[in-house]
Amino acid sequence: MTGHVTTLAGPVPVVSAKLTARDRLGGWKVRWGIRRYSYTVDPGLYALGAPSDTSPVLVTANYKLSFDALRCRLEGRAAWILALDTRGINVWCAAGKGTFGTAEVARRIEAAALNQVVSHGVVVLPQLGAPGVSAPEVRRRSGFRAVWGPVRAQDLPAFIDGGLRATPEMRRVRFPLRDRLVLVPLEMTAVAGIALAVLVVAAAVAGFGPGGFSLARVLAGVLPLAAVLAATTLAGTVLTPLLLPWLPGRMFSARGFAVGAVAAAFVLPWMPPTYSTLRLAAAALTMLAGSSYLAMNFTGSSTFTSLSGVEKEMRASLPWQVAGAVAAAALWIAGGFVR
Amino acid sequence: MSDLRYLDDVVTLTYDRAKCTGCQQCTYVCPHGVFVMDGNRAVMRDRDACIECGACALNCDFDAIHVRAGVGCAAGIIASWFRGKGGEVSCGPEGAGAGKGTSGGCC
């Protein structure tokens, strides 16, 4: 915020198109899951540059990462930015939940007295807000014509210069390597916590064997398991997302299974010679079922899966994934008692 | 990079061309180019690319498009099971200030 501009509807806070080091740090942190659900801006109207009553009105979510992605593409331009209250959730997900919705658009237009701020009667909505917003209904409720902007904020300058027209390419969602890469830290850290918890439980279980509890057995059992869980996490939450287009099969669970198999081929030869066959089998099952499950979990982060499709995939995959995990746990525990 | 594609013959999208008035909303909102204009009406060009986001159906003012909308998110589907029967499949934290959402990655 860099002051206020005065409009017929009262003062409006001004924001810069330049991101500060703090903005960038905040964006980096939420990608790692730090303060992710409280990374917000206040909902309402903002001025970027020195907008007039003919400047475009760009609608976005009050997730600061979304808000920043929008304003940083508009350097040297003048525009109004209308941030909806999506409770700090990005546009696409909030549209799916309905918080980026028709009622909220109409309410914010009214609350900002937008008809006194601009004279053109048009708001530009992000295309990915469309699952929650009916453009015809916005018009009926607010009098404002809702025009669908491009999917990506980076296309906004060309969209505006082209007279609020999007090319077909601007309307398409892709899922390039860069977009998949930024999701990896969150996927990875969420799972690493679970893996650590499994490891703690396993450490307690591993001590028991022939002749009671032994600390040496804890280490001998748990250190290889740590490597197996790390490999599973890497396979399912890092390698599968990054290699997604080149992996076999349409189902994510199949793609994750393939990566899990490769991980197993790399990791199993490094297991200690004292590791029982049962525990080797448990390790293999963990990597196959685990990587497959984690890959399936990535469906929600991807841009091209459908609810019906994921349900079908889960019906096909979840039973054997769960059976594999249960069998792996049983084999691993049993493996502590035999050679 | 070629288009990433998901499963074929699975989505619930239906389109009644007779009801189309050519307003083009569906061609604007679909992020996967499922609908394109053919003359003065829309046609379904690539049904299997549909992700059931529901944008087209919501923005069709003439009731020509129907779809069971939701998010294609395994973590969200599992969370909806725990919320009980008929639980809506969505993602992120529930309600205002409900704390942390599911561990998975949707949003």
Side-chain angles (χ1 to χ4, degrees), chain A residues 93 95-98 300 306-308 310-311 314, chain B residues 52-53 68-81 83-92 94 106:
Chain A
C93 288
K97 296 170 80 70
S306 61
L307 174 58
S308 299
V310 175
E311 283 177 342
M314 289 174 75
Chain B
E52 301 183 320
C53 72
R68 182 185 63 133
V71 290
C73 172
I77 291 169
I78 291 172
S80 78
W81 294 343
R83 281 199 297 272
K85 269 194 188 145
E88 173 201 19
V89 177
S90 69
C91 48
E94 290 310 307
C106 332

Side-chain angles (χ1 to χ4, degrees), chain A residues 36-37 93 97 127 130-131 133 135-136 140 148 171-174 187 250 299 301 303 305 307-308 311 313, chain B residues 3 5-8 10 25 28-32 51-53 58-59 61 68 72-74 91 93-94 105 107:
Chain A
R36 180 159 156 256
Y37 290 119
C93 288
K97 296 170 80 70
Q127 186 188 327
V133 179
R140 283 191 285 273
W148 295 109
R171 297 235 169 272
R172 296 297 288 272
V173 162
R174 309 284 180 189
E187 299 284 326
R250 290 277 182 91
T299 50
S301 302
T303 61
T305 56
L307 174 58
S308 299
E311 283 177 342
E313 162 158 6
Chain B
D3 261 3
R5 293 190 72 87
Y6 199 44
L7 313 184
D8 288 337
V10 71
Q25 281 291 333
Y28 298 150
V29 297
C30 179
H32 287 283
I51 60 170
E52 301 183 320
C53 72
L58 182 62
N59 278 275
D61 228 16
R68 182 185 63 133
C73 172
C91 48
E94 290 310 307
C107 55

Side-chain angles (χ1 to χ4, degrees), chain A residues 200-218:
Chain A
V200 169
V201 173
V205 174
F208 295 100
F213 192 88
S214 110
L215 200 62
R217 243 190 329 251
V218 171

Side-chain angles (χ1 to χ4, degrees), chain A residues 84-261:
Chain A
L84 305 190
D85 183 4
T86 61
R87 296 170 187 153
I89 302 293
N90 71 72
V91 171
W92 207 5
C93 288
K97 296 170 80 70
T99 49
F100 193 105
T102 308
E104 173 66 6
V105 173
R107 190 180 318 131
R108 290 288 156 196
I109 288 174
E110 169 111 35
L114 205 58
N115 57 351
Q116 295 179 50
V117 178
V118 294
S119 55
H120 48 64
V122 175
V123 288
V124 176
L125 297 171
Q127 186 188 327
L128 293 185
V133 179
S134 159
E137 186 62 21
V138 166
R139 179 149 213 187
R140 283 191 285 273
R141 292 199 195 181
S142 69
F144 272 74
R145 189 161 69 90
V147 172
W148 295 109
V151 165
R152 285 166 293 272
Q154 67 186 61
D155 290 328
L156 268 171
F159 172 83
I160 293 167
D161 293 343
L164 305 189
R165 280 178 182 278
T167 63
E169 182 54 32
M170 288 183 199
R171 297 235 169 272
R172 296 297 288 272
V173 162
R174 309 284 180 189
F175 203 29
L177 183 63
R178 189 179 347 104
D179 291 3
R180 302 197 300 274
L181 183 63
V182 296
L183 300 172
V184 162
L186 199 60
E187 299 284 326
M188 198 177 59
T189 47
V191 173
I194 297 167
L196 219 57
V198 170
L199 216 52
V200 169
V201 173
V205 174
F208 295 100
F213 192 88
S214 110
L215 200 62
R217 243 190 329 251
V218 171
L219 291 177
V222 163
L223 288 181
L225 181 63
V228 167
L229 292 179
T232 306
T233 306
L234 186 73
T237 69
V238 181
L239 295 177
T240 302
L242 294 185
L243 300 175
L244 202 58
W246 303 288
L247 296 173
R250 290 277 182 91
M251 291 192 186
F252 282 50
S253 49
R255 302 184 210 224
F257 182 88
V259 179

